[in-house]
């Protein structure tokens, strides 16, 4: 009986949902979504997986429903019907959340429209099937057609949703981009189209495309990139330090304006360098890579990113080696494998310098015709052993980086008529011998010679004399184009500690000096101490840090706040309810060592802040063993634009009897001024040491907004994430 009533109730909700969603679709342009509904709307990506799975299972069962063994099976019939009902209800919730989310700034375009209407159609179709599936005319053919229609709607909805979230070609982008890169000859490659644009497509376009214009910024074409977004132009040609693009990239990952936002795949150090050089050198949108000077930093990095690969589509005129032979040649120090599926060409990698022996090359005699790629990186290969390599007549790519060969020995390799990529970095080659032997290589396209001792002028001579070969000389800092360092990062899992904590800082670039201060002043490169991992903090401390390295511009200053909290209550009870939008972990929030951040896109913003507006934030802490307390601190957020203000007053009460507590101190916090930037602050109240079993903390939200505030008649919101007891 309970089951029947519950099912009827669910059917009534489904019917009401159809009317409600139809209403939202008809009048969506007039909808104004309040902040608390925006929070619900943002749960759309979280909940959408449920209807996908449930409806897919329900449609599979619906497709086979009229088979003889299933049509008479009561369990099968009831289970499939209930599955469809549950899936339809989840679809209703997902569609509603999606419609709320679509009303936020940054969502527009044709893809969004298709996603919205295919999602709504999916819900209506599922509801219709549930309503009609028990009619007498509903037979096997109708069930199969309905199931297929639902699955098609499901696939289309998912496709358009993925396009909005991850970009138009998200699924096939790794394959298509690799094909494009492999097929693009270096002499035709353009700096923006083939180097910079792929970075935008992989790391930025998912949020900045015509269908999802976060900050009114689109990064899919040169015209939109030049236009910029809501906050202005994206970059200043020739000046990365003043360019919004680089500023946002170099912000701390915890900053809400950092790009890409936390949770998205971050830019690599190489990608950041490429973007900075592109802006600094004003490379524009049509300049070719080879138009840049051979020793130009942007060209060097671009060429490295466009490094040649063996074309999988190349047709070889030799037969494949025996599989058993290949298997036999593989061991702990050598791998032999196909360069592509069903290709006769083989790639060989030899490892372990201490175990290397020239006989490992002789053992490859049986497959010498099939070897097109050989990697001997960091092996103790000498000139006398290069004649063994010359026997691999079809070799295309040879890596001799950091071996013991010289330029004189290279003449042994000039017989390799297919060789187009030769890596000689870190070897003992010299200009005179290299200049003499290079012309003998007829098909070389790329030679890597960085870290070899060749000077810039010698590299220019080689490049000028051999125009068809690209010499990769590596980055050489001439002091004319210094790059800006990223800010230091913190390694500590939490900046809240009970007694002491070692300061742990890091930087992604090797050889960087991190200098820091604890007195609130900005670190300098001379007087401020260098971080050495030996600093121990024992009290509340604000760390300011900067990164320095010779030949680089110093980083921006980054600030880390450390808080000491010596005591943690055994139990905490809230006497009044929290704001229903900002619940965090309830009473546990204030002593869980999880600090919140500014920025609604960050999970730490949504999950770590507890708030009150209509009543005081009042909590009673109990200690099983009495503790001596002499100070209480609170960590809170200020965002005056959205009505988030400091507490108007904080009262601290303590004692051994919860009904007879005495007032220990009162705390007031400074109010922000108009147009102040959002910030995180802390306030502390100190008092004469009191041994307490119970501690009551009363934080009162601001009763009235300041007169200058646009919503001066509304109540302020108080957000607190952590309290500190010492």
């Amino acid at each position: 009986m309970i089951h029947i009533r519950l099912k009827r109730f669910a059917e009534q909700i489904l019917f009401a949902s159809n009317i409600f969603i139809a209403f939202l679709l008809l009048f969506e342009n007039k909808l104004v979504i309040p902040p608390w509904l925006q929070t619900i709307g943002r749960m759309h990506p979280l909940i959408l997986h449920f209807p996908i799975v449930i409806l897919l299972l329900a449609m599979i069962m619906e497709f086979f429903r009229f088979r003889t063994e299933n049509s008479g099976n009561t369990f099968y019939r009831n289970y499939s019907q209930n599955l469809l009902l549950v899936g339809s209800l989840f679809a209703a919730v997902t569609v509603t959340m999606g419609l709320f989310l679509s009303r936020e700034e940054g969502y527009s375009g044709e893809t969004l429209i298709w996603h919205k209407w295919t999602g709504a159609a999916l819900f209506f179709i599922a509801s219709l099937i549930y309503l009609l599936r028990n009619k007498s005319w509903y037979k096997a053919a109708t069930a199969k057609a309905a199931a297929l229609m639902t699955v098609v709607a499901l696939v289309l909805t998912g496709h358009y949703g993925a396009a909005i979230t991850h970009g138009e070609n998200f699924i096939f982008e790794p394959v298509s981009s690799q094909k494009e890169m492999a097929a693009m000859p270096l002499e035709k490659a353009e700096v923006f189209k083939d180097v910079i644009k792929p970075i935008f497509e992989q790391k930025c376009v998912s949020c900045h495309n015509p269908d999802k214009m976060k900050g009114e910024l689109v990064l899919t074409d040169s015209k939109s990139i030049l236009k910029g977004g809501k906050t202005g132009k994206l970059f200043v040609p020739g000046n990365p330090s003043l360019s919004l693009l680089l500023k946002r990239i170099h912000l701390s990952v915890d900053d809400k304006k950092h790009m890409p936002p936390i949770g998205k795949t971050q830019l690599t150090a190489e990608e950041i360098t490429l973007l900075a050089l592109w802006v600094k050198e004003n490379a524009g949108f049509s300049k070719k890579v080879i138009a840049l000077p051979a020793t130009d930093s942007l060209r060097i990095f671009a060429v490295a990113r466009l490094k040649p690969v063996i074309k999988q589509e190349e047709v070889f005129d030799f037969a494949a080696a025996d599989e058993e032979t290949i298997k036999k040649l593989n061991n702990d120090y050598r791998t032999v494998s196909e360069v592509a599926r069903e290709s006769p060409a083989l790639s060989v990698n030899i490892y372990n310098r201490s175990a290397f022996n020239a006989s490992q090359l002789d053992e490859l005699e049986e497959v010498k015709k099939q070897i097109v790629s050989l990697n001997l990186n960091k092996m103790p290969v000498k000139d006398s052993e290069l004649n063994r390599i010359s026997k691999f007549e079809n070799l295309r790519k040879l890596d001799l980086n950091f071996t013991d060969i010289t330029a004189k020995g290279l003449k042994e390799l000039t017989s390799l008529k297919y060789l187009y990529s030769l890596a000689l970095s870190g070897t003992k080659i010299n200009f005179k011998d290299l200049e003499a032997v290079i012309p003998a290589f007829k098909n070389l396209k790329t030679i890597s010679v960085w870290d070899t001792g060749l000077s810039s002028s010698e590299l220019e001579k080689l490049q000028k004399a051999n125009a068809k070969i690209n010499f990769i000389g590596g980055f050489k800092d001439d002091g004319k184009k210094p790059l800006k360092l990223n800010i230091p990062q913190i390694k500590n899992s939490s900046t809240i500690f009970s007694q002491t904590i070692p300061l742990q800082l890091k930087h992604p670039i090797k050889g960087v000096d991190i200098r820091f201060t604890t007195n609130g002043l900005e670190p300098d490169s001379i007087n401020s101490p260098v971080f050495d991992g030996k600093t121990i903090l024992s009290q509340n401390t604000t760390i300011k840090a900067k990164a320095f390295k010779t030949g680089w511009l110093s980083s921006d200053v980054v600030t880390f706040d450390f808080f000491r909290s010596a005591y943690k209550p055994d139990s905490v009870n809230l006497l009044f309810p929290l704001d229903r939008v900002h619940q965090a972990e309830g009473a546990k929030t204030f002593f869980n060592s999880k600090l919140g951040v500014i920025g609604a896109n960050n999970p730490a913003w949504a999950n770590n802040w507890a708030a009150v507006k209509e009543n005081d934030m009042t909590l009673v802490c109990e200690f099983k063993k009495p503790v001596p307390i002499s100070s209480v601190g609170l960590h809170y957020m200020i965002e005056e634009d959205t009505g988030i203000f400091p507490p108007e007053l904080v009262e601290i009460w303590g004692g051994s009897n919860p009904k007879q507590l005495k007032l220990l101190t009162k705390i007031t916090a400074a109010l922000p001024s108009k147009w102040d930037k959002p910030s995180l602050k802390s306030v502390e109240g100190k008092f004469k040491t009191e041994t307490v079993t119970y501690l009551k903390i009363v934080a009162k939200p601001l009763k009235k907004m300041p007169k200058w505030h646009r919503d001066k008649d509304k109540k302020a919101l108080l957000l607190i994430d952590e309290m500190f007891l010492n």
Side-chain angles (χ1 to χ4, degrees), residues 189-203:
E190 295 180 8
V191 177
F192 175 73
K193 178 184 174 184
D194 302 299
V195 180
I196 301 301
K197 189 177 180 182
I199 297 175
F200 286 149
E201 290 174 343
Q202 294 167 19
K203 304 292 175 70

Side-chain angles (χ1 to χ4, degrees), residues 10 43 58 68 100 142 147 178 217 227 321 334 384 566 579 610 615 641 646:
M43 294 176 67
T68 305
F100 289 164
T142 309
Q178 185 64 33
L217 175 65
K227 180 182 177 182
R334 181 178 59 208
S384 59
D579 181 81
N615 50 259
D641 186 52

Side-chain angles (χ1 to χ4, degrees), residues 473-580:
F475 175 74
K476 295 191 181 215
D477 184 12
D478 57 5
K480 297 178 181 178
K481 298 176 181 178
L483 300 178
K484 190 172 186 176
L485 290 168
N486 296 348
I487 58 174
Q489 301 168 6
I490 192 166
K491 289 174 64 177
N492 298 84
S493 58
S494 175
T495 58
I496 300 173
F497 61 97
S498 59
Q499 299 300 327
T500 61
I501 188 173
L503 176 62
Q504 298 178 357
L505 302 175
K506 63 179 181 179
H507 199 279
I509 297 176
K510 292 182 179 180
V512 167
D513 283 339
I514 301 176
R515 292 182 178 265
F516 69 99
T517 62
T518 59
N519 57 5
L521 298 178
E522 181 174 321
D524 61 61
S525 60
I526 299 174
N527 300 311
S528 301
V530 177
F531 171 72
D532 58 6
K534 298 179 181 179
T535 302
I536 304 295
L537 306 179
S538 59
Q539 59 186 0
N540 291 355
T541 308
T542 295
I543 300 292
K544 290 193 173 183
K546 282 182 77 171
F548 298 89
K549 187 177 182 180
T550 303
W552 294 68
L553 295 175
S554 61
S555 73
D556 292 330
V557 179
V558 62
T559 302
F560 304 110
D561 290 315
F562 284 80
F563 300 97
R564 184 175 184 267
S565 187
Y567 303 109
K568 186 174 181 179
D570 294 302
S571 66
V572 183
N573 291 308
L574 279 163
L575 302 188
F576 302 106
L578 296 172
D579 181 81
R580 60 180 178 177

Side-chain angles (χ1 to χ4, degrees), residues 144-156:
K144 290 181 179 181
L148 289 173
M149 189 185 302
T150 305
V151 171
V152 169
L154 192 63
V155 171
L156 288 174

